């Protein structure tokens, strides 16, 4: 297995633990321990750390090493503004190009999200729904940037929304899909904008 593949595996594992709070803010990420856990050298561990830093999940501090970054409400507001701008842009293009098969996949993702029985499962399926309605834009760099923002947003949501979550139908998701089926892309984009800003207010309560 190449260093790049191992680095990706380390990143995926650590990022999931950070998002779910298993690795709390301020926790030191120890290269030696992680290298032993993955039976590898320090090189892929350092590569994974750099990727965590690039995604805002970790920080490298002089004489303190690499640590899980702190949660910051100002950062969440910035993430929301960026998500709103980029997801609406993606949906403007996706809505015009979406096929019947892609609408069906988005509907299945919506149903799976509504059926989630706990917050971590819902969060992952919510990300999958948003990815399903945006992927038809066929703009890989834009989608990669949105994926990064979803990861950063997920961490805040799981840390701050535990007491306020309950299983329910997401009416915004259903309405966005209904508008996309009617090819009313303008209305779908406006509803997506309101949906993202509403989620931000709930997370910051």
């Amino acid at each position: 297995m190449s260093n790049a593949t191992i680095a990706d595996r380390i990143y995926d594992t650590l990022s999931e633990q950070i998002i779910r709070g298993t690795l709390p803010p301020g926790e030191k990420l120890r290269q030696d321990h992680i290298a032993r856990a993955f039976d590898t050298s320090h090189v892929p561990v350092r590569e994974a750390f750099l990727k965590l830093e690039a995604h805002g999940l970790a920080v490298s501090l002089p004489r303190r090493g690499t640590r899980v970054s702190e949660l910051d409400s100002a950062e969440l507001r910035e993430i929301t503004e960026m998500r709103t701008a980029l997801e609406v842009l993606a949906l403007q293009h996706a809505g015009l190009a979406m096929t019947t098969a892609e609408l069906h996949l988005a509907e299945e993702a919506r149903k799976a999200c509504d059926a989630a029985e706990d917050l971590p499962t819902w969060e992952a399926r919510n990300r999958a729904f948003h990815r399903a309605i945006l992927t038809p834009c066929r703009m890989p760099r834009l989608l990669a940037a949105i994926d990064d923002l979803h990861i950063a947003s997920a961490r805040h949501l799981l840390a701050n929304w535990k007491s306020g979550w309950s299983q329910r139908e997401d009416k915004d998701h259903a309405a966005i899909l209904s508008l996309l089926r009617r090819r009313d892309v303008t209305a779908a984009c406006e509803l997506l904008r309101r949906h993202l800003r509403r989620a931000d207010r709930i997370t910051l309560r």
Side-chain angles (χ1 to χ4, degrees):
M1 188 179 292
S2 70
N3 279 344
T5 304
I6 298 170
D8 286 340
R9 189 155 57 89
I10 295 169
Y11 166 79
D12 289 342
T13 300
L14 295 179
S15 64
E16 188 68 18
Q17 290 175 348
I18 293 169
I19 289 168
R20 289 176 174 259
T22 308
L23 287 171
E27 180 85 1
K28 186 170 184 178
L29 301 175
R30 301 179 186 277
Q31 279 194 39
D32 290 343
H33 294 178
I34 294 167
R36 282 198 297 272
F38 285 87
D39 192 23
T40 188
S41 69
H42 284 189
V43 174
V45 178
R46 285 195 293 268
E47 290 176 7
F49 282 8
L50 289 172
K51 193 171 180 182
L52 289 171
E53 290 180 49
H55 293 170
L57 298 176
V59 291
S60 182
L61 303 169
R63 297 182 298 279
R64 296 185 63 199
T66 301
R67 295 177 180 269
V68 177
S69 60
E70 299 291 338
L71 290 165
D72 181 354
S73 60
E75 178 191 56
L76 178 58
R77 291 188 181 93
E78 180 182 8
I79 291 166
T80 300
E81 288 300 317
M82 292 176 69
R83 275 191 66 187
T84 301
L86 297 185
E87 289 198 37
V88 168
L89 174 62
L91 191 61
Q92 286 170 350
H93 292 271
L96 297 172
M98 198 172 287
T99 65
T100 300
E102 287 167 333
L103 282 167
H104 176 73
L105 287 174
E107 174 64 16
E108 291 304 305
R110 182 193 71 80
K111 289 177 180 176
C113 186
D114 286 350
E117 296 182 351
D118 57 68
L119 179 56
T121 303
W122 176 87
E123 187 283 318
R125 292 179 183 179
N126 179 63
R127 269 191 275 166
F129 170 79
H130 281 257
R131 194 64 157 81
I133 64 172
L134 301 179
T135 294
C137 77
R138 293 168 179 80
M139 301 169 77
R141 290 189 181 184
L142 177 59
L143 291 170
I146 291 169
D147 284 345
D148 287 349
L149 292 168
H150 280 180
I151 290 170
S153 178
R155 185 181 174 216
H156 285 271
L157 187 147
L158 290 174
N160 297 323
W161 204 18
K162 291 175 182 175
S163 62
W165 185 86
S166 60
Q167 185 180 19
R168 72 199 189 288
E169 176 188 0
D170 193 314
K171 294 182 179 179
D172 281 355
H173 287 180
I176 288 168
L177 272 181
S178 178
L179 290 166
L180 290 172
R181 289 191 194 95
R182 300 205 304 265
R183 302 296 175 183
D184 192 344
V185 179
T186 300
C189 287
E190 182 54 37
L191 179 52
L192 177 62
R193 181 180 288 108
R194 295 199 305 271
H195 173 72
L196 292 171
R197 293 210 163 122
R198 188 179 302 122
D200 174 56
R201 289 194 298 272
I202 292 171
T203 304
L204 284 169
R205 282 187 309 191

